[in-house]
Amino acid sequence: MPQLNSGGGDDLGANDEMIAFKDEGEQDEKIEENAFTEGDLADLKSSLVNESEISQNSHPPVVRTGHQEEQRVYEEKHREHLEHLNDVPKPQDAGMYKASTYSGYPFLMLPEHYHPNGQVSPSANKVAVVQQPHGMHPLTSLLPYSNEHFNPSPSHLTSDMSQKPGVHRHQPHDLSSFYSLPSGGVGQITPSMGWQSQPVYPLSSCGFRQPYSSSLASNSSYSRFSHSLIMGPSGMHPTGIPHPAIVPSSGRQEHDQFDIKPHPESKREREPKKPVIKKPLNAFMLYMKEMRAKVIAECTLKESAAINQILGRRWHALTREEQAKYYELARKERQLHMQLYPSWSARDNYGKKKRRKRDKQQDSATGEKRSAFATFKEDSAPAPILPMEVL
DNA sequence: CGGCCTTTGAAGCTA
DNA sequence: TAGCTTCAAAGGCCG
C-alpha cells in the first residue's frame, strides 16, 4: 500500500522497508543495470540463428515483429541458461556473491550466505523460486539465469540503453543494497494497518497455520523449483513454445500474453495484432505465484480472492530477508524486462482491461472524487469476519 | 463468456 | 510532488 505509506514514516510495513532499502541501493544499481547487457542480447541474436533454425522443427515458422524478435532472444537466452543449469555450478558464482551483495540472478543462484544465518540450503540456490504450476510467467521463466549473464559488466549497456532511441523508461533504482541487510537486523515486520483489516473472505486460521518464515526457510518452497519445473511440464523444453516469457504450457496466460490465439481463423486474428507485453511481476506477485499452491494445499482453498488474502497476510509476516528475496527478484525481472522491451511502457497496457464496474458506479454516483484506496476498501470490505487474533 | 473478487507493488497519470 | 489509477496473477463465482 504505497499510497498509504508514502507520506508517513511510522508504518513499518514492507513499503517502509522498501524506502529504506532504496536509500541504500542507488550505487549498486548502476552496476547491476549492466548485468544483462545489450551486447549479450546482440550476441545472442547473432549466435542463435542456428538454434532458431533447428527449433523451427518444433514449432511453425512465425513472422516475428520487433517485439517478437526480442522475445525470441529472450527465449533463447532462457534456454541457454537452462542448459547451463545442468552443468556443475560454477565456483565463481559463490565467490562473486561473497564479494558483495549478490548481483546475479538471485533465485537461481541465490547465494548460500544470502541469509545472514545461512538458512537457505545450497541446493535451493540453483533453482528458480517462482513456481510455474501451469506455465511460465514471461519473465519468471527466465529466472534460471546464471551469474555470467548478470555479471556486472562494462558499463556499455547503460550508456547504450540510455542512448537507444525509443528508450524512455528510466532505469530503476538499484535495490541490491537493499538487501545487504545488517546482520542480526532481522526484524519482523510490524504489520501495517492496511493489511490487518477487512477480511472479506472467511479466512480460516490456515492463513497462519505456520509462519511463513519457517516454511520458506525450509526446503518446502525452494525445493519445488527443480529444473524439471523450470523446464516445464513433462520435461517440455521452454523452446517448445513460441516464447518462454509468453507462453506457459497451458492456462489463460498463454493467450493473454501476446494475444496470440491458437486458432487464427477468426477475423480478429487475421488482423495483425501488436503483441501484448505484460507488466513484469512485482515482489508480491512473485511471492503469490510461488506460494499459491502451498496455500491451496494447506487450506484446501481454490478461490483466488481468499487465497490472496491469506497470502497478503503471510507476505506481511515475512521477515525482511524473506521479502527482500522477492523484491530482488522483482527488480531483476524489471531490469530484464526493460532491457528486452526497452520501448515498452506500462502505459501500453492501459485500457486493455475493461474498467471496473465499481469504478463506473463510483463515477456515476456522486461525482465526488474518492481515492481509489478508499473505494477499494469501502466497496470490497464490508466487515471483518474473523477476529484479529486469527489474522 | 467475461467481469468481479482480493492482495501488494510498480508505474503512469493528474492536479 | 503527492495522490490517484491501472495493471500484473490466479481461479472460482456469477450475471
Side-chain angles (χ1 to χ4, degrees), chain A residues 87-104:
Chain A
D87 300 335
V88 177
K90 293 186 176 181
Q92 62 263 31
D93 292 337
M96 187 171 66
Y97 287 126
K98 284 172 185 174
S100 62
T101 58
Y102 62 99
S103 56

Side-chain angles (χ1 to χ4, degrees), chain A residues 39 56 60 78 85 105 131 169 185 199 219 248 305-306 311-312 316 335 362 372:
Chain A
Q56 285 177 354
H78 182 209
L85 279 176
Y105 224 61
Q131 183 184 21
R169 290 198 294 172
N219 292 332
L311 287 170
H316 285 281
Q335 279 189 327
Q362 171 189 332

